[in-house]
Amino acid sequence: MSNNILIIAGMHRSGTSLVSHWLSNCGLNIGQQLLGADIGNIEGHFEDVDFYRFHEDVLEENNESRFGWVTHPIALLTTYQDEKLKSIIGFKNKMNRQWGWKDPRTCLFFAHYRELLPDAYYLNIIRDYRSTVSSMIMRDFKHHEKKYLLRKAFSRFIWKNFRRKKRLLKFYEDLSAFYLSVWITYNEEILKNIRSLEESKYLVIDSSSLCDIAGQVFDHLTDEWKFDLDYYDFNKIFKASLLSPPTDIDVFVKDESLQARAQQLEKQLKNLCIESTIVAKKLL
């Protein structure tokens, strides 16, 4: 019997951790050892440490940001890297008949996974660029702010009432255009990967609609893709209080062509979302 494999793909801060958490509760093995929680993801990342470390190592060996803050995919693997990835996949296949994983940087390695896992299914999670970039900047800012919140009462008072707002504005001014470029790279890779697959091999989900369509997604995974899962109520995992209101990053991005690329890409991906395709089929 061949393995049933699910690749949960999406840009950082797009809801992939939430989806992975949910599917784990539904019974999908998403890794023997998972990356834990931190200040930017207090519920946990639900990232398979084996894939996480592999991606991190390859990026560093290519003199790239290990976090995946890059504007191009990883085109080539060395023989060693290729064999290491094969061994990770081989181990997972021996351990589980059905399994999957999530690490946003998977988007930078799609070409290699298509070759090594030609029968895998892709669950693509997208989120609008304004909310995603804003969330990334706020995560960085929270890490930066942590040291100020640990200081004595008077220093915390000065930070909160006089310095915080100005420093946060500087984060948006410095990072909005760069993180938007990263968002474009990841989502262009998602779109290119989709276009190389049979329609039956992928789903595209807008993270903002997950509460409404979780049942449809579950039915697709079990009925169409034949994953053996037990439904777990998505609303027991989703916590709206963890979502911070997005900042309009467009005012900080001076390159209008960058904004235009993001807007067009977002439109193309949303047209592929499961709720959009369901509506389109009803109209036929």
Side-chain angles (χ1 to χ4, degrees):
M1 185 180 294
S2 61
N3 297 78
N4 219 8
I5 302 167
L6 183 68
I7 299 174
I8 303 163
M11 170 64 180
H12 301 264
R13 313 303 293 173
S14 291
T16 54
S17 295
L18 179 62
V19 170
S20 300
H21 186 180
W22 172 56
L23 290 177
S24 177
N25 279 29
C26 290
L28 181 66
N29 186 297
I30 58 169
Q32 279 68 41
Q33 184 180 359
L34 302 178
L35 192 67
D38 69 6
I39 195 171
N41 221 335
I42 63 173
E43 294 290 305
H45 289 81
F46 294 88
E47 293 176 5
D48 186 320
V49 170
D50 292 328
F51 287 106
Y52 173 88
R53 288 176 176 163
F54 173 79
H55 296 149
E56 190 174 62
D57 289 345
V58 173
L59 285 163
E60 286 192 324
E61 287 161 11
N62 280 272
N63 298 314
E64 303 284 2
S65 160
R66 66 185 178 91
F67 301 109
W69 309 146
V70 300
T71 55
H72 54 84
I74 301 300
L76 298 173
L77 297 179
T78 65
T79 301
Y80 172 78
Q81 291 165 348
D82 186 58
E83 291 301 318
K84 186 176 181 180
L85 184 55
K86 288 177 181 176
S87 69
I88 293 171
I89 291 170
F91 173 75
K92 306 293 181 184
N93 275 330
K94 287 180 180 178
M95 293 294 294
N96 299 282
R97 186 189 67 80
Q98 62 172 23
W99 58 279
W101 82 89
K102 166 259 176 178
D103 175 20
R105 291 165 297 184
T106 298
C107 298
L108 304 173
F109 295 81
F110 276 145
H112 310 292
Y113 288 117
R114 283 199 306 271
E115 180 180 348
L116 296 175
L117 295 169
D119 296 322
Y121 296 102
Y122 291 80
L123 186 60
N124 303 283
I125 318 299
I126 66 166
R127 188 184 186 190
D128 70 276
Y129 73 85
R130 294 180 181 89
S131 297
T132 306
V133 172
S134 180
S135 180
M136 292 175 72
I137 293 172
M138 281 305 303
R139 179 178 62 180
D140 286 357
F141 184 74
K142 285 178 181 178
H143 281 286
H144 174 77
E145 183 180 40
K146 185 178 180 180
K147 62 183 178 183
Y148 294 98
L149 298 179
L150 293 173
R151 293 179 178 178
K152 294 182 179 180
F154 181 72
S155 295
R156 293 201 306 272
F157 175 82
I158 295 297
W159 167 252
K160 291 180 179 179
N161 292 279
F162 297 100
R163 295 181 179 175
R164 186 181 190 278
K165 186 176 180 180
K166 184 177 180 180
R167 190 69 57 85
L168 179 57
L169 179 63
K170 188 72 165 59
F171 267 67
Y172 275 98
E173 290 173 343
D174 291 347
L175 296 173
S176 291
F178 173 68
Y179 277 151
L180 182 56
S181 297
V182 176
W183 182 94
I184 289 171
T185 297
Y186 276 69
N187 285 280
E188 282 183 341
E189 289 306 304
I190 289 173
L191 187 58
K192 284 193 287 185
N193 189 53
I194 285 171
R195 287 173 172 169
S196 71
L197 299 170
E198 296 177 7
E199 189 175 350
S200 62
K201 288 293 186 181
Y202 67 84
L203 277 183
V204 185
I205 303 169
D206 187 334
S207 61
S208 65
S209 66
L210 276 166
C211 289
D212 298 321
I213 66 169
Q216 293 171 317
V217 173
F218 180 86
D219 289 345
H220 193 94
L221 265 62
T222 55
D223 297 342
E224 302 296 328
W225 292 352
K226 306 303 180 184
F227 283 91
D228 183 13
L229 304 171
D230 296 311
Y231 185 75
Y232 187 89
D233 188 353
F234 182 82
N235 291 293
K236 290 182 179 179
I237 293 176
F238 176 73
K239 296 179 181 178
S241 60
L242 296 180
L243 297 176
S244 56
T247 297
D248 183 7
I249 62 131
D250 287 348
V251 299
F252 302 106
V253 179
K254 307 306 180 185
D255 186 346
E256 293 183 1
S257 65
L258 200 63
Q259 292 183 37
R261 281 177 66 193
Q263 290 164 5
Q264 178 63 22
L265 181 55
E266 186 176 300
K267 182 179 179 180
Q268 290 174 301
L269 287 167
K270 287 192 173 184
N271 285 338
L272 293 169
C273 285
I274 183 172
E275 56 269 42
S276 298
T277 56
I278 289 172
V279 170
K281 288 177 181 177
K282 287 181 178 178
L283 294 174
L284 292 176

